């Protein structure tokens, strides 16, 4: 699968014909959506979100997904990463996805709804997995408050939760990917990852908006024992 959507940076800019009744922020959001080549390409390829390309791009670079793998997708809705993972692991693989929000089923995946911060939700994910995971993905992100320090702390808390889970469920050699925000504690997380993974990277895939502080930490070659 090509990692970048066609037509990036080319084509006509769509402008909103009417701004009546729309706030400036929502107008800006809508104009950006209408002109975003990843949004267009996601629609063309049947992906539920432009986020799907972030995973395909990271996979093209780091070879995270392989046939037959057992993958856990945390913060999965609307399901772009789940779709990419299901395609990549094939019928011999397994994908367990969870989100606090309801998510439409994805053929070939087990989709759960629950707050991953609750112990019970984590237990349901473990029960749905048939054994140790080869890859734990977390694209979990809380709704942003606009207050940078608060947003940073909340997203890092989710990434740490995902890492703690990954440490307990990964098979030896397994991998971990989590969304973080640049600007503070992500350096500490990379240091922690280095203890448990043979290779550690931080990645800003091209599909991740340049004006966003979002990036991903990646650990490969898990040294621990998992479950
Ligand atoms: C950026 S979106 C994920 C997009 C997804 N990777 C895709 O490809 O479509 C982040 C998701 O994290 C979810 N989320 C935030 N906090 C969560 C929590 N405590 N437990 C489970 N999901 C959570 C949100 O509901 C949201 O759907």
């Amino acid at each position: 699968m090509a990692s970048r959507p066609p037509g990036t940076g080319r084509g006509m800019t769509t402008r909103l014909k009417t701004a009546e009744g729309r706030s400036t922020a929502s107008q800006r959001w809508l104009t950006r959506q209408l002109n975003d080549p990843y949004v267009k390409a996601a629609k063309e390829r049947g992906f539920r979100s432009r986020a799907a390309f972030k995973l395909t791009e990271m996979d093209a670079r780091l070879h995270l997904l392989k046939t037959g793998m057992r993958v856990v997708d945390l913060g999965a809705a609307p399901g772009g990463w789940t779709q990419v993972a299901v395609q990549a692991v094939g019928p011999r693989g397994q994908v367990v996805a969870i989100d606090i929000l309801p998510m439409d089923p994805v053929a070939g995946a087990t989709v759960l709804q629950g707050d991953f911060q609750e112990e019970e939700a984590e237990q349901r994910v473990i029960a749905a997995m048939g054994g140790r995971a080869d890859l734990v993905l977390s694209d979990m992100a809380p709704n942003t408050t606009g207050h940078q320090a608060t947003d940073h702390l909340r997203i890092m808390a989710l990434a740490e939760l995902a890492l703690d889970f990954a440490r307990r469920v990964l098979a030896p050699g397994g991998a971990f990917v989590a969304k973080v925000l640049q600007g503070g504690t992500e350096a500490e997380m990379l240091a922690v990852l280095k203890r448990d993974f043979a290779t550690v990277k931080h990645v800003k895939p091209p599909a991740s908006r340049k004006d966003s502080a979002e990036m991903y930490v990646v650990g490969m070659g898990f040294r621990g024992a998992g479950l």
Side-chain angles (χ1 to χ4, degrees):
M1 186 188 303
S3 61
R4 296 198 74 162
T8 307
R10 275 179 270 133
M12 303 276 287
T13 299
T14 304
R15 287 200 180 77
L16 287 175
K17 287 199 180 84
T18 169
E20 219 173 297
R22 283 196 193 103
S23 72
T24 320
S26 74
Q27 254 181 66
R28 241 185 286 124
W29 181 85
L30 194 53
T31 306
R32 186 165 77 167
Q33 284 293 104
L34 290 169
N35 294 298
D36 185 331
Y38 285 103
V39 171
K40 191 166 168 264
K43 213 173 277 172
E44 281 165 8
R45 296 185 198 183
F47 287 133
R48 293 179 186 181
S49 61
R50 72 187 293 294
F53 291 108
K54 299 177 195 172
L55 183 58
T56 57
E57 287 168 352
M58 287 193 280
D59 184 43
R61 186 168 151 197
L62 301 169
H63 311 292
L64 298 162
L65 290 159
K66 293 182 187 78
T67 320
M69 270 187 165
R70 183 174 287 126
V71 179
V72 178
D73 183 9
L74 308 173
W81 283 27
T82 310
Q83 292 175 298
V84 170
V86 164
Q87 277 177 22
V89 302
R92 288 193 304 108
Q94 195 197 357
V95 179
V96 178
I98 186 165
D99 203 285
I100 197 165
L101 299 175
M103 172 171 144
D104 288 338
V106 175
T110 303
V111 175
L112 306 171
Q113 186 180 356
D115 180 350
F116 197 67
Q117 290 175 110
E118 313 253 316
E119 172 71 24
E120 168 270 340
E122 183 180 311
Q123 287 310 319
R124 283 197 290 133
V125 173
I126 291 172
M129 294 159 52
R132 290 176 180 173
D134 301 297
L135 177 62
V136 172
L137 303 169
S138 172
D139 200 19
M140 283 192 287
N143 289 333
T144 49
T145 62
H147 184 264
Q148 223 185 340
T150 306
D151 290 340
H152 190 95
L153 286 173
R154 289 169 70 197
I155 204 164
M156 288 313 292
L158 290 173
E160 276 162 24
L161 192 69
L163 175 58
D164 183 55
F165 170 76
R167 277 213 201 95
R168 279 178 286 120
V169 304
L170 277 177
F176 170 71
V177 177
K179 189 208 289 281
V180 296
L181 292 184
Q182 282 164 306
T185 53
E186 83 279 0
E188 282 164 38
M189 181 153 217
L190 288 170
V192 172
L193 279 171
K194 279 180 188 154
R195 290 207 299 260
D196 291 321
F197 294 88
T199 309
V200 171
K201 306 219 177 263
H202 52 105
V203 188
K204 173 91 176 166
S208 176
R209 292 188 164 112
K210 285 185 187 63
D211 60 359
S212 146
E214 166 192 272
M215 61 172 226
Y216 293 86
V217 292
V218 182
M220 293 176 291
F222 182 58
R223 295 195 183 102
L227 284 176

